[in-house]
Amino acid sequence: MAAKSRTVFVCSECGNETAKWFGQCPSCKSWNTLVETEPMPAAPSRHGFSGAVSRTAAAPLSAIETADELRASTGIGELDRVLGGGTVLGSLILVGGEPGIGKSTLLLQVSATLCARGKVLYVTGEESSRQIKLRAQRLGINSDTLYVEAETRLDSIMENIRQLSPGFIIVDSIQTVYKPEAASAPGSVTQIRECALALMQYAKTSGATVFIVGHVTKEGALAGPKILEHMVDCVLYFEGDRHASYRIIRAVKNRYGSTDEIGVFEMSARGLLEVPNPSQALLSGRPKDVPGSCIACVMEGTRPILAEVQALVTKSSFGNPRRTADGFDYNRAVLLLAVLEKRSGIDVGSCDVYMNVTGGLKLSEPASDLPAILAVASSISDRPLREDMASFGEIGLTGELRTVSNVAQRLSEIRRLGFSQCVLPRRCCIGIKPPEGLTLLAAENLSDAIRISLSGK
């Protein structure tokens, strides 16, 4: 009689393994994330332990080279900015985003540029080779060093990689690739972990750069175990509405660069086009002399960006007023509304408040506090702010306005786009010489800022 195979339960969020099923993961406390799977068989060892034996000899710290990392430009300036100057050879990059947002299109455009540096292998598990060819024709891509493989078996993919020895590999997507030895379905915790590990080992030993595409869940997080994000060197997220024209790519993890930079693209018939001036693009189509609109200046990495914050305040028809925020942190919006009512005497407790950031941009910097509240105050008083006015500043719980960083850069960007007034915290004006033609409207607290912005002086 054959022995019953042992199974374990693996958490899809943190990768923790348990012998029994629990409703809540004992490690990360997430609910309904334990998935039953069979453990990978351990390789036999004569020395009493399992696992691969390292072939790399230990070296003293003083003998390790600290030269700059070898980088390859992707040919797309906005993507190079997010990556920190280009792709690092031998790195593993994870690209995530909603279906249809443009992940495959961007990577196909990147492969066209990387072909000039060597062979590129594009592995697709969701489309046929003919579909990739048709998309490449629409994008005007045709190269003899770009190879396309429609395959989902990991052993077949790795064999083809060894034969071609490409310098760049794109796997679209990691959820479709499976290892036949693992007794689980493609996309499971075990399959994603084992396939990503094999690709990571090849990238580190061969020096090839590997891009892997990952799906996202309905909550917006990358599907699969959380260990996948720990294994890779860089995690890129595509943001924005797939039905809108603008796309934003952001690095949430980058071992070779900053995670504060963003890249802005516009979807067109020719693929994803760079937007070198995001502020001007995000402000296009802005309404004039309409209450509830304020221009915010936020820092995305080293680049100041202007975005329009909109607010709509109406009397509530229900006992519990609604609060909705799109592109702005919901909890932060609720906190700011409480400060507005307590410190400025403006009644918003009986009103529905809707906040929106145009262009698909998500504002997380505290400097967007003041523009958001000014938009709310403009809407509730039904008085528009001046068209040539911008704002930035952090708001404290006592209603005071606190200073922010990179004041000179923000003011230069505000003036460059034609604005002549800026509402900001008084402390930000210390030692700052404003650009010619820009008037600084300094405020000590929230009440002063609302009074100054609505009066324009």
Side-chain angles (χ1 to χ4, degrees):
M1 183 176 179
K4 183 179 180 180
S5 60
R6 186 176 69 91
T7 60
V8 296
F9 295 87
V10 182
C11 177
S12 60
E13 289 292 329
C14 64
N16 180 57
E17 295 185 2
T18 61
K20 295 182 179 180
W21 183 88
F22 298 95
Q24 186 183 44
C25 174
S27 178
C28 66
K29 307 302 179 182
S30 298
W31 288 94
N32 300 321
T33 57
L34 294 181
V35 180
E36 185 177 11
T37 183
E38 293 186 5
M40 292 295 297
S45 173
R46 295 184 304 171
H47 301 286
F49 69 94
S50 59
V53 179
S54 174
R55 298 182 181 179
T56 304
L61 181 64
S62 58
I64 299 176
E65 294 291 336
T66 57
D68 292 338
E69 297 286 350
L70 296 177
R71 291 183 180 267
S73 174
T74 62
I76 302 177
E78 290 293 298
L79 182 58
D80 286 345
R81 174 192 291 271
V82 177
L83 291 172
T87 62
V88 176
L89 303 184
S91 61
L92 183 63
I93 302 171
L94 175 61
V95 182
E98 295 181 359
I101 202 168
K103 303 184 297 296
S104 302
T105 299
L106 178 65
L107 291 178
L108 194 57
Q109 292 179 237
V110 169
S111 64
T113 303
L114 297 178
C115 283
R117 299 182 59 98
K119 297 179 181 178
V120 179
L121 176 61
Y122 192 107
V123 180
T124 173
E126 300 179 346
E127 299 177 287
S128 65
S129 300
R130 177 179 173 81
Q131 289 175 307
I132 299 298
K133 174 66 175 180
L134 292 174
R135 181 184 293 127
Q137 288 178 342
R138 291 196 302 269
L139 299 176
I141 300 173
N142 188 18
S143 176
D144 294 333
T145 57
L146 174 58
Y147 295 82
V148 179
E149 178 186 10
E151 182 59 70
T152 56
R153 287 175 58 100
L154 180 64
D155 50 359
S156 300
I157 294 173
M158 298 306 298
E159 180 63 27
N160 202 3
I161 289 175
R162 296 186 187 95
Q163 292 179 2
L164 286 176
S165 297
F168 303 91
I169 304 167
I170 299 173
V171 179
D172 186 9
S173 65
I174 190 64
Q175 276 83 9
T176 62
V177 181
Y178 70 97
K179 188 175 183 179
E181 293 82 5
S184 56
S188 63
V189 173
T190 302
Q191 290 286 4
I192 293 177
R193 180 179 57 194
E194 294 299 322
C195 295
L197 180 61
L199 293 170
M200 182 190 70
Q201 290 176 338
Y202 180 83
K204 301 304 179 184
T205 56
S206 66
T209 301
V210 181
F211 293 85
I212 57 177
V213 176
H215 295 312
V216 296
T217 62
K218 60 182 180 180
E219 290 82 13
L222 280 167
K226 206 67 177 177
I227 192 174
L228 178 62
E229 298 185 36
H230 299 320
M231 293 169 59
V232 301
D233 299 306
C234 183
V235 181
L236 304 180
Y237 268 99
F238 255 109
E239 299 176 356
D241 188 355
R242 62 177 179 174
H243 301 294
S245 58
Y246 291 109
R247 306 285 193 273
I248 297 173
I249 189 168
R250 185 189 304 270
V252 297
K253 174 187 177 182
N254 192 355
R255 289 175 178 162
Y256 306 110
S258 172
T259 57
D260 296 326
E261 301 286 353
I262 67 168
V264 183
F265 299 88
E266 182 179 6
M267 179 63 76
S268 68
R270 295 176 295 161
L272 288 168
L273 304 179
E274 297 180 68
V275 180
N277 192 350
S279 298
Q280 189 173 10
L282 293 172
L283 296 182
S284 61
R286 177 192 172 205
K288 300 180 180 180
D289 297 328
V290 177
S293 174
C294 184
I295 301 301
C297 184
V298 296
M299 294 296 298
E300 293 291 351
T302 59
R303 178 169 57 181
I305 293 181
L306 267 63
E308 181 186 2
V309 182
Q310 296 179 338
L312 178 63
V313 182
T314 61
K315 285 295 181 180
S316 178
S317 302
F318 306 97
N320 295 323
R322 295 192 60 183
R323 302 284 188 264
T324 302
D326 187 9
F328 200 90
D329 183 70
Y330 174 80
N331 293 325
R332 186 69 179 174
V334 173
L335 183 148
L336 292 175
L337 292 176
V339 174
L340 175 64
E341 183 166 3
K342 181 70 175 179
R343 304 303 177 188
S344 299
I346 298 178
D347 180 24
V348 292
S350 59
C351 299
D352 295 333
V353 181
Y354 306 90
M355 299 176 62
N356 175 54
V357 180
T358 62
L361 191 66
K362 294 184 179 180
L363 303 184
S364 58
E365 192 190 12
S368 60
D369 291 353
L370 183 56
I373 287 301
L374 292 182
V376 173
S378 172
S379 177
I380 199 170
S381 63
D382 201 25
R383 297 166 60 186
L385 302 177
R386 285 191 50 165
E387 182 184 348
D388 59 347
M389 178 187 293
S391 176
F392 61 84
E394 181 182 357
I395 299 177
L397 291 181
T398 61
E400 82 281 9
L401 300 186
R402 310 183 69 88
T403 185
V404 295
S405 60
N406 302 300
V407 175
Q409 288 179 263
R410 298 176 197 262
L411 296 177
S412 297
E413 179 71 6
I414 290 172
R415 182 54 188 156
R416 188 181 69 84
L417 291 179
F419 294 88
S420 59
Q421 290 186 344
C422 178
V423 181
L424 73 169
R426 189 176 301 277
R427 296 175 181 83
C428 290
C429 301
I430 301 176
I432 293 295
K433 182 179 180 181
E436 185 178 355
L438 181 64
T439 302
L440 302 185
L441 304 178
E444 189 69 29
N445 51 49
L446 182 57
S447 298
D448 287 344
I450 295 175
R451 176 182 55 81
I452 293 172
S453 61
L454 293 180
S455 63
K457 59 182 180 178

